[in-house]
Structure formats: C-alpha cells, structure tokens
Amino acid sequence: MTVADTERRRLAVDPARTALVLVDLMDRIVGLPLEPRKGDEVLATAEELAAAFRAVGALVVLVRVERPGVPEQPPGSGLVSGLAADGDMEIVKRTLGGFQGTGLDERLRERGISTLVLGGVATNLGVESTARAAGDLGYDLVFVEDAMAALTAPEHEAAVRLDFPRLGTVVTGSEVHFV
C-alpha cells in the first residue's frame, strides 16, 4: 500500500459542511447499458452513501435532468423510486451540469456547504460537468468511483483516472467517513 492509498483510506468529511450530490439517478438513465458497472450497482452504492449521510445529518442533493422546450418529459424522467427522502434537496437541471441556472450554489452556501461528494451517471457527462462548475465555484470535491458509471468503460476510466484526481480526491464508497 502506498502513502497515497493510506491517506485516501482515512478520508473523513465534516457532515455539517459536506453534501452528497447524486446526478441523474433516474430510471431512464440508470437503465441504460452502463460501464464499468450496471446502473443497479451504482444505485446500490449511492443509496448506501445517502443513508450514511442522512444518518449523520448531512445534506443529500439529488440532481435530475429535464429536457428543455418539450411539453412532456420522457417516461422514467423522475428520480428512481425510493431514492429521495425527507430533508433531501432535489435540483432540476436543463443543462449537462447541476449548477447552471438551478440555484444550487446559493442553496449550498446558505447551508455552509464547502465540500461535495459526487456520484451518479454518467461519470464523464453530468457528474464531471457538475464537478467542474463546483470546482470553479471553490468547492472541495470528492468523487466516489463506485457510485458512478458511464456509457463506456473508457469514458468512465478517463474521467476517474485522468480528470477527477486533478479536481479533487477519488475514493470508493467504503472510504467515506465522517469526523
């Protein structure tokens, strides 16, 4: 085990200043053929994280996309059934990322949030776009690799191995703990 691995395993976040941000966990997206893991696997890890965050009073943010300019959203456009709980913040986006025109930044700052723990689908699209905007806004970022998937394994791997380490810390769900 390297020093970096040891430091990563000790990652602890302050529940009062940290939010879990889960992107596009909707039936029509989770049901796509995803890699390197299936949508159900991403969802299971995301649900475990959300339960852990809620248990310590930390904020859970659920971001979902709606197509702009259409009279009706396609079937499966709501959050996966059972994902949301009382006290969670739901954000509806109409762009790739979760910040543009949603009020998310203002709502997080009102709560004193400075660290975001991210997961969702697709790793290199909605999650990465949300993360890049968050980084530009000054948030500290944590990426939960096993709470994400993309349309192809190479897209997921490029984001997780090349981009995310430059923006924040990459961990697995079991490595997230609270101070």
Side-chain angles (χ1 to χ4, degrees), residues 45-57:
T45 302
E47 289 174 330
E48 288 175 17
L49 284 167
F53 270 69
R54 292 176 189 123
V56 297

Side-chain angles (χ1 to χ4, degrees), residues 23-24 93 96-97 121-130 150-151 155:
V23 180
D24 293 338
K93 64 183 177 109
L96 208 50
V121 178
T123 308
N124 62 312
L125 297 171
V127 176
E128 187 167 348
S129 182
T130 299
L151 296 175
E155 289 171 307

Side-chain angles (χ1 to χ4, degrees), residues 60-79:
V60 174
V61 179
L62 304 169
V63 179
R64 67 179 181 84
V65 66
E66 284 188 357
R67 295 179 180 167
V70 298
E72 191 174 309
Q73 296 300 310
S77 290
L79 293 167

Side-chain angles (χ1 to χ4, degrees), residues 33 36 46 65 73 105 111 128 137 142 144 150 156 160 162 171 175:
V65 66
Q73 296 300 310
D105 182 44
R111 290 171 171 79
E128 187 167 348
L137 292 166
V142 177
V144 182
H156 174 82
V160 169
L162 301 175
V171 297
E175 293 172 326

Side-chain angles (χ1 to χ4, degrees), residues 132-168:
R132 287 181 181 275
D136 287 345
L137 292 166
Y139 291 94
D140 294 321
L141 304 176
V142 177
F143 300 93
V144 182
E145 188 278 333
D146 56 343
M148 299 180 202
L151 296 175
T152 69
E155 289 171 307
H156 174 82
E157 291 300 319
V160 169
R161 305 287 174 240
L162 301 175
D163 298 335
F164 291 170
R166 293 180 174 126
L167 301 172

